Amino acid sequence: MKNVVVVGSQWGDEGKGKIVDWLSSEADVVARFQGGHNAGHTLVIDNVTYKLRLLPSGIVRKNKISIIGNGVVVDPWALLEEISEIKSKGINVDEKNLIISESANLILPFHKEMDEIREDSAGKSKIGTTRRGIGPAYEDKIGRRSIRVMDLVSESNLDRRLETVLIHHNAIRKGLGKKIFKKDKLKQDLLKIAPEILKYSQPVWKRLSEFKSQRKKILFEGAQGILLDVDHGTYPFVTSSNTVASSAATGTGCGVDTINYVLGITKAYTTRVGEGPFPTELKDKTGEQLGSRGKEFGTVTSRKRRCGWFDGVLVRQTIKISGINGIALTKLDVLDELEEIKMCVAYDLEGKEIDYLPAAVEDQLKVKPIYRSFEGWRAKTNGIKDFDKLPDNAKIYIKELEKFIETKVSSISTSPERKDTILIENPFK
């Protein structure tokens, strides 16, 4: 029996929803360990579509326990709205199947406003955030002034905590010529919803320890991808948290020995939302074709994704950084109609060939991809469930990809449907 961490090995949007849905059907417990409501999973179960943002994917399945860990930043109003939306589709959500860490930090209205103010004033230097207040909330967490779930228990404590955080934010707002944020209405709004949030609140680290003792299978799911990690991504065009697999331990309060298998969700080409370096980006008809066939629009924001060839250099790098044991290769069928398919196997940095993405953003923007070309298969892979039935050129592409990234392909997705998957290795076994 294994506990599994699922991470995106690129810039997010790798198709985690379908894979996580299948894994959550195998798991007993599903825990979110970082991020906020800025990234989502789309699940389709019995022809019903669920678009989850904060709630773990296990919530739509019976007899599963879903956890929102201390590493997640929670917009309490967005969470309650999502719970209401899920309930309207016949899904039960109560204190027995949803647990929120008492240590989780809250996203408040002034965080969202600060996110918008910064993005609007940044001009060409904007990061391309989702403007949902994620970054400013994490800043307050690190600055030791944030409001946590546990702070909703006491009105006097909440009043003091709000006073502290607003001293900081209002000083910045004044400097930017914005109106100061008033405390009293926000406090009353929080107290009004406090009972609805607190009923799910528990010490997650303690519950996970109990689940481990009971030998329950735990699935840890993150948001975004490793290339958006605040330390290991294309900084500063990154998210505000650590998206690597080891964050599953710190983001939920369990030991690293809890993690037995790391699955990297990996798209058969590459996409990115927002600003920042993208060495293999295609700004031509092929890029448009990938975007159109792959329906490359964000689950949460509906923003159009930038598309490009598979970047083997980046995926190999994220595999090493995150300790990925196997990859789930998604959206293979999107490549079906292409006559030629390319894979980036190195970079040219001002005449020098390198085999990794440098840390400096200036260099990341300068690197030019060095490609290896493959003959396309120009045949339908959509719906295939047996590796041997794939077109020969598709098998060649997968095997060479596997060899280059130095990690096995554990499954291959050949359509958005959960059943259309070639399972090579079950991460839980």
Side-chain angles (χ1 to χ4, degrees), residues 365-416:
L365 291 166
K366 287 178 187 175
V367 296
K368 296 178 181 178
I370 297 172
Y371 288 118
R372 178 180 173 187
S373 293
F374 297 84
E375 185 180 345
W377 42 91
R378 285 165 290 176
K380 182 181 176 182
T381 64
N382 187 287
I384 291 178
K385 304 175 185 65
D386 185 339
F387 184 84
D388 290 334
K389 292 181 180 179
L390 289 172
D392 287 342
N393 285 345
K395 288 188 276 191
I396 290 170
Y397 178 69
I398 293 165
K399 286 296 183 184
E400 291 302 312
L401 180 153
E402 185 177 52
K403 186 188 299 182
F404 183 81
I405 64 174
E406 301 172 5
T407 304
K408 58 193 168 189
V409 174
S410 65
S411 65
I412 303 163
S413 175
T414 57
S415 96

Side-chain angles (χ1 to χ4, degrees), residues 3-7 29-33 208 218-222 248-249 252 254 258-259:
N3 298 322
V4 178
V5 178
V6 173
V7 291
V29 180
V30 184
R32 271 284 306 272
F33 62 85
L208 282 174
I218 306 169
L219 173 65
F220 298 91
E221 61 174 347
T252 58
C254 68
T258 304
I259 300 168

Side-chain angles (χ1 to χ4, degrees), residues 319-330:
I319 282 170
K320 294 181 186 302
I321 288 168
S322 209
I324 290 172
N325 300 106
I327 68 162
L329 189 66
T330 64

Side-chain angles (χ1 to χ4, degrees), residues 47-274:
N47 296 318
V48 179
T49 299
Y50 305 95
K51 293 189 176 183
L52 305 179
R53 295 167 289 278
L54 269 170
L55 291 171
S57 54
I59 201 70
V60 298
R61 296 192 171 277
K62 291 182 179 179
N63 304 317
K64 309 291 180 183
I65 298 171
S66 293
I67 293 175
I68 296 176
N70 54 275
V72 180
V73 285
V74 178
D75 181 323
W77 294 279
L79 176 61
L80 293 176
E81 182 180 336
E82 190 173 338
I83 290 172
S84 176
E85 181 183 322
I86 287 292
K87 283 184 172 181
S88 72
K89 295 187 176 184
I91 300 298
N92 178 60
V93 181
D94 58 28
E95 301 92 313
K96 293 180 181 178
N97 69 343
L98 177 62
I99 300 170
I100 304 173
S101 171
E102 58 189 3
S103 302
N105 292 258
L106 300 182
I107 300 172
L108 300 176
F110 53 79
H111 291 132
K112 183 180 178 181
E113 289 182 19
M114 185 57 66
D115 213 351
E116 293 172 341
I117 290 167
R118 287 176 177 169
E119 280 289 277
D120 290 340
S121 62
K124 292 182 179 179
S125 299
K126 68 180 180 178
I127 301 298
T129 77
T130 56
R131 297 170 179 255
R132 281 168 163 73
I134 312 296
Y138 273 116
E139 286 180 43
D140 283 346
K141 173 182 177 177
I142 299 303
R144 295 166 291 185
R145 55 181 172 265
S146 73
I147 311 298
R148 301 198 285 178
V149 169
M150 66 182 73
D151 293 321
L152 299 178
V153 173
S154 162
E155 180 176 351
S156 59
N157 177 62
L158 178 62
D159 190 85
R160 287 193 300 271
R161 299 299 300 156
L162 284 172
E163 192 76 41
T164 298
V165 71
L166 286 175
I167 287 173
H168 171 83
H169 277 269
N170 281 334
I172 297 173
R173 293 169 74 98
K174 284 180 183 178
L176 294 172
K178 305 295 180 180
K179 292 181 179 179
I180 65 168
F181 201 97
K182 299 294 180 65
K183 177 187 69 175
D184 291 342
K185 184 179 185 305
L186 175 57
K187 185 178 79 169
Q188 293 307 314
D189 288 344
L190 283 169
L191 290 172
K192 184 178 179 180
I193 63 169
E196 285 299 303
I197 298 295
L198 289 171
K199 70 181 182 181
Y200 302 110
S201 174
Q202 295 186 41
V204 161
W205 65 269
K206 188 173 186 296
R207 294 306 310 277
L208 282 174
S209 179
E210 293 167 2
F211 296 145
K212 282 175 63 179
S213 298
Q214 296 162 8
R215 296 185 58 77
K216 291 187 181 295
K217 288 186 283 188
I218 306 169
L219 173 65
F220 298 91
E221 61 174 347
Q224 294 99 18
I226 297 167
L227 290 168
L228 291 175
D229 185 278
V230 70
D231 286 306
H232 302 290
T234 47
Y235 190 91
F237 300 96
V238 292
T239 194
S240 301
S241 59
N242 288 111
T243 61
V244 292
S246 52
S247 294
T250 54
T252 58
C254 68
V256 291
D257 63 335
T258 304
I259 300 168
N260 306 117
Y261 191 101
V262 180
L263 180 66
I265 314 300
T266 307
K267 197 175 286 185
Y269 50 101
T270 309
T271 62
R272 176 166 199 169
V273 169

Side-chain angles (χ1 to χ4, degrees), residues 338-352:
L338 298 175
E339 292 187 7
E340 181 185 38
I341 297 168
K342 295 182 179 181
M343 180 193 303
C344 177
V345 295
Y347 297 132
D348 179 297
L349 178 58
E350 298 183 320
K352 180 183 178 182

